[in-house]
Amino acid sequence: MSREDYEVIMGLEVHSELSTKTKIFCSCPTTFGASPNTQTCPICMAMPGTLPVLNEKVVEYAVKAGLATNCEISRNSKNDRKNYFYPDLPKAYQISQFDKPLCEHGYVEIEDNEGNKKKIRLTRIHIEEDAGKLNHDEFGGGSLVDLNRAGVPLIEIVSEPDLRTTEEVEQYLKKLKSILEYIEVSDCKMQEGSFRADVNVSVRKKGDTKLGTRTEMKNMNSFRSITRAIEYEVDRQIDILEEGRKVEQETLRWDDVSGKTFSMRDKEDAQDYRYFPDPDLVAIKLSEEYINQIKENLPELPESRKERYLDQYKLSQKDARIITSSKYLSNLFEEAIAECNNPKAANNWIISDISRILNEKEIEPSQIPFTGKQLGELIVLIEKGVISSSIGKKVLEELFKEPKSPEQIVKEKGWVQISDEGEIKKVVQKILENNPQSVADYKAGKEKALGFLVGQAMKETKGKANPKILNELFLEELKKEA
Amino acid sequence: MDITKLTVHELKQKLDNKEITIPEIVSAYINRINEKEKDVQAFITTSENEALEKAKEIQEKKEKGEITKQYAGIPIGIKDNICTKGTKTTCASKMLENFISPYNATVIEKLENENLISLGKLNMDEFAMGGSTEYSYFKKTRNPWNLNKVPGGSSGGSAAAVASDTVPWALGSDTGGSIRQPASFCGVVGLKPTYGLVSRYGLVAFASSLDQIGPITKDVEDCAILLNMITGHDEKDTTSIEMEKIDYTKSLKKDIKGIKIGVPKEFFGEGINQEVKDVLQKSIQKYKELGAEIEEFSLDIAQYALATYYIIACAEASSNLGRFDGIRYGYRTKEYSNLRELYKKSRSEGFGSEVKRRIILGTYVLSSGYYDAYYKKAQQVRTLVMNEFNKAFEKYDIILTPTSPTVSFDLGSKSENPLEMYLSDICTVSVNIAGVPAISIPCGVNSENMPIGMQLIGNKFCEEKILNVAYAFEQNLNFREKYKPEFKN
Amino acid sequence: MQVSKDELLHIANLADITISEDEINQYLINLEEILNFAEVVNKAPIEGLEITIGANERKNIFRKDEVKIFEDNEALLKNAPTKDLNMFKIPKVINT
């Protein structure tokens, strides 16, 4: 049998760090990249005798995430201990949630390029604490434990096995990331590890109803490595089945360098986490009032923004989807419109030039350095004829380098468009004199020659000549000479 | 005048009358420690020099009026599982032999705020697991009434130090009887407060849902005074209760006429030593004479509570003691070739046998396949025990029982048999399971002059009533005048 | 409740504790005795009773999301048996 005869079944466990100021159970800051063990205290270092106190924002943010993903919010919830030994887990237990997560039974809707929609069901969202970090010791040959990240709050979002393709996985993750960014509960920086996904994969022959044995893959830190890991693991599982062997249920670690997965734990070391309710923490009981208040203050979500863009600004389905896929692009768009009142132009800039530059620079929309207001000002400068649209593109490049007011950039660079007819006429005459051959060609019917002459004039004026006037004057002069 | 024989309220009076100074008090205790410690061995760490210096400093500041706290300068001993910044906190374990806490427990902050002076850290069963203080890694503390006998445990060092006058009072901790049983064995007063009344922040956890810090004192009035100092809400402990501060000395002297005392017959059954029963019966008679209404009733929970106690306490302990892994602090094995070996050897060498036994039992009852049969059932039994106590307190103000089925026993006589040791907690553990307060006060001695303790249990947050009922009895019996520890060899 | 040697070793492994050969029998006897005693909980009249987690019924005790820096950072690492670059040093861990 071939690969096409198999169906791939995937479910995801996404861990997203919450953007609270302090850790989940102590008052240490959560800033990324601090010097080792400087954001620690007796509590997150698990000194004997210390006790956890739950950060109220963690509950609020998790409920927000639950509401934004159509979950039911549990009225009664609690914290449980998950017991295991690992040097990045100082208490030898992780405070998590076992049988009473804060949120359950939700879904997010994904959409492919053709606009086909699919609901991915969420099993649950629960709160837990992040572990510390192990660094490799360059000189001593050991490992070094840094506990700055220990106790940073996380939500774990667990999906049902509703995903079938790598494309769906990517759409799902991007959608989730965008929702969490919109509701401002997480920064979702994959490269900093604040948004991570573990993938559960199994395969079965098409038509089978029983699920195959699944493996869990960890340690993928980009969309691309997730896709690669899935492709590798699917091939591996199909090969095993094709050879008549059985897939073993295990946890695998993706290695991006070798492009392979490796088994993470010894088989004899079967894990038994001995979950039990944490006696140091009291029950969480959420009132209707509390939940409703969060619901009412939830910001507009991507889905609803998209509908509004279609309706209010008449954007195409595709453009609306791209812009709303990121809170940052969408906010840029709205701020630009507030300045220039020209949705069509703002849409075009974002979809074409800005997207192209993001791609070239390999940066995320969140890293766009300039504001929507500045984009709006740029659009206004072009509308007013102060600069041409080709100068506009150069201004955009400048905005990426050093964000300041476009008007100032234009002024400093001397890019103000020349609209003075007398001045342009001088240039036109000079170009005509210097290019008799082109003039002759034009007269002989080669209309392309006009383009060449206009181009020369633009070069002469460093692109600043008003192109409309320039064109008119050339035609006028050429007619005269006839 | 022998300073060390005085209670704290008596010391305070002498200080107020300027009959003695703080350095005199501290020096007297240091002398007493030098004299008695070699026999009793109650201390793991003494801080004599620091105490003397502090005594001078506080005396000066007091004279200048810079310190006005009522009990400023009074010394105290601290059980060695309560974290004290900058000095060793060992939990009587090889695991923490050299551990120096980077912070103070909340109760320590409170005592420092009262300008009390620590004389040192007191011996205990390793990680508070045990009932004889024989499971200490460092030393075996002796009972001041008979040096061949155990002081009880786990707060054996605290009780023995108070009984031998090497500290005027002490802090202990009580998870299943660890304050009350040693208090009873050593003929002193020990109170386990309502769960949540005293902050657990900085108490090295044994079983989080059962542990409470409490006073061990010479008499009931001192007990009320020390309780006043350590209670109060602490935002660092979410199980700590927010309630208005009570002055526990206020109602001590109230008449107890008409107080309803329930006597559960199951606590006077066959497992209880006859001499203990006899002395308790006399005490009940005394309460009748004092005007209390005594009624026998059935509280058939002791066996269930004891089984539940060992399941819950060990389960929580197995998780609480996971952090001792030899990485950030504590004992690390000398030789290891990989991480797993570092963990296993450090833990196996750093913990004593009783601690390991309880970790293994706790791990077992939480492991898959056994959770429902043991841990979950135990949590249901816990509800049962609470319900039964609630019912009892609808009828009675106080429940009266022996503190321990026996008096103190010989060193080495039980430490080899864990189950027998566990069974001797039968009278005390239900109190922790239900989260209610209870005091142990001495009520007599047996034929060998070993003290017998009486336990008075109250409803949640009824410490005032317990202390009142205990005080009335104490004034009437006058135990401290009649019986004295003899340091018999 | 009979506990097998394998079971005991599995449990000890979960707790990261090594039990020496001569300790095994003692532990097995202790464990069996204690577990037999603990069986009492199965005889208790607990039909329909809810579980109790803590000894009091407090709920929703939260902390404000406000940064407080622990000042004595040095004291936090002071007890470490081995350290380097302000981190705890341990044998090399491969699966990070």
Side-chain angles (χ1 to χ4, degrees), chain A residues 306-472:
Chain A
K306 195 186 131 195
E307 293 307 313
R308 193 158 57 79
Y309 290 179
L310 294 176
D311 187 56
Q312 195 177 341
Y313 303 129
K314 312 288 177 228
L315 260 54
S316 75
Q317 277 277 353
K318 192 176 170 223
D319 289 359
R321 192 175 64 242
I322 293 173
I323 291 179
T324 57
S325 73
S326 156
K327 176 188 88 174
Y328 301 98
L329 286 184
S330 178
N331 285 354
L332 194 76
F333 178 67
E334 299 202 356
E335 284 166 29
I337 294 173
E339 183 68 26
C340 70
N341 199 20
N342 186 344
K344 195 164 179 282
N347 177 33
N348 285 339
W349 278 101
I350 291 172
I351 295 294
S352 57
D353 292 278
I354 293 176
S355 293
R356 174 182 52 79
I357 295 170
L358 289 179
N359 261 332
E360 283 167 9
K361 291 184 185 279
E362 292 183 351
I363 58 172
E364 297 277 319
S366 63
Q367 292 162 287
I368 294 173
F370 54 88
T371 62
K373 183 168 184 288
Q374 288 168 332
L375 174 62
E377 285 167 6
L378 170 62
I379 293 169
V380 171
L381 286 180
I382 297 167
E383 272 178 356
K384 282 194 188 155
V386 179
I387 55 169
S388 66
S389 55
S390 63
I391 289 288
K393 287 182 210 277
K394 286 163 81 173
V395 174
L396 183 70
E397 302 273 357
E398 289 302 315
L399 280 173
F400 267 99
K401 277 184 225 155
E402 194 191 351
K404 51 186 170 185
S405 115
E407 207 176 338
Q408 200 186 339
I409 294 175
V410 167
K411 217 179 260 169
E412 280 172 13
K413 296 275 178 189
W415 284 345
V416 179
Q417 182 162 272
I418 305 162
S419 297
D420 179 70
E421 280 199 28
E423 203 173 319
I424 295 175
K425 204 167 205 168
K426 280 184 205 153
V427 178
V428 167
Q429 278 163 349
K430 185 180 166 198
I431 296 297
L432 289 173
E433 272 166 35
N434 292 346
N435 295 281
Q437 186 56 47
S438 295
V439 176
D441 286 350
Y442 180 79
K443 284 176 183 164
K446 288 186 185 165
E447 300 218 344
K448 269 189 183 167
L450 176 61
F452 175 77
L453 292 167
V454 171
Q456 290 299 307
M458 272 296 187
K459 213 172 175 183
E460 182 74 21
T461 60
K462 298 201 174 79
K464 287 186 292 183
N466 182 323
K468 201 170 152 235
I469 299 172
L470 192 65
N471 233 13
E472 280 170 12

Side-chain angles (χ1 to χ4, degrees), chain A residues 15 81-96 128-132 149 154 196 218 264-265 269-276, chain B residues 318-319 322-323 325 328 340 343 347, chain C residues 13-16:
Chain A
H15 289 91
R81 292 187 184 178
K82 179 182 183 181
N83 296 283
Y84 64 96
F85 287 93
Y86 209 65
D88 63 5
L89 188 71
K91 294 190 294 296
Y93 59 82
Q94 178 192 34
I95 304 177
S96 178
E128 61 184 29
E129 55 183 335
D130 208 345
R149 202 179 64 181
L154 292 175
R196 330 190 269 270
K218 292 179 181 289
M264 268 182 80
R265 285 178 184 113
D269 234 29
Q271 280 299 311
D272 181 350
Y273 292 122
R274 291 157 283 134
Y275 279 101
F276 74 103
Chain B
S318 72
S319 173
R323 68 187 61 194
D325 56 10
R328 282 150 290 121
R340 207 91 234 147
Y343 274 147
R347 288 169 60 77
Chain C
N13 191 45
L14 280 179
D16 258 335

Side-chain angles (χ1 to χ4, degrees), chain A residues 61-99:
Chain A
Y61 283 10
V63 169
K64 260 187 171 177
L67 291 170
T69 51
N70 312 293
C71 285
E72 293 162 19
I73 308 302
S74 308
R75 268 52 176 177
N76 289 302
S77 187
K78 65 181 170 71
N79 298 100
D80 298 280
R81 292 187 184 178
K82 179 182 183 181
N83 296 283
Y84 64 96
F85 287 93
Y86 209 65
D88 63 5
L89 188 71
K91 294 190 294 296
Y93 59 82
Q94 178 192 34
I95 304 177
S96 178
Q97 298 193 286
F98 183 52
D99 57 341

Side-chain angles (χ1 to χ4, degrees), chain B residues 282-319:
Chain B
K282 270 189 214 157
S283 306
I284 291 168
Q285 200 50 45
K286 200 151 263 177
Y287 268 121
K288 276 185 190 158
E289 288 160 19
L290 288 168
E293 292 171 22
I294 309 281
E295 194 176 290
E296 197 178 75
F297 77 111
S298 170
L299 184 65
D300 190 11
I301 47 157
Q303 291 282 327
Y304 305 138
L306 187 58
T308 290
Y309 170 77
Y310 275 96
I311 293 169
I312 289 176
C314 292
E316 291 180 8
S318 72
S319 173

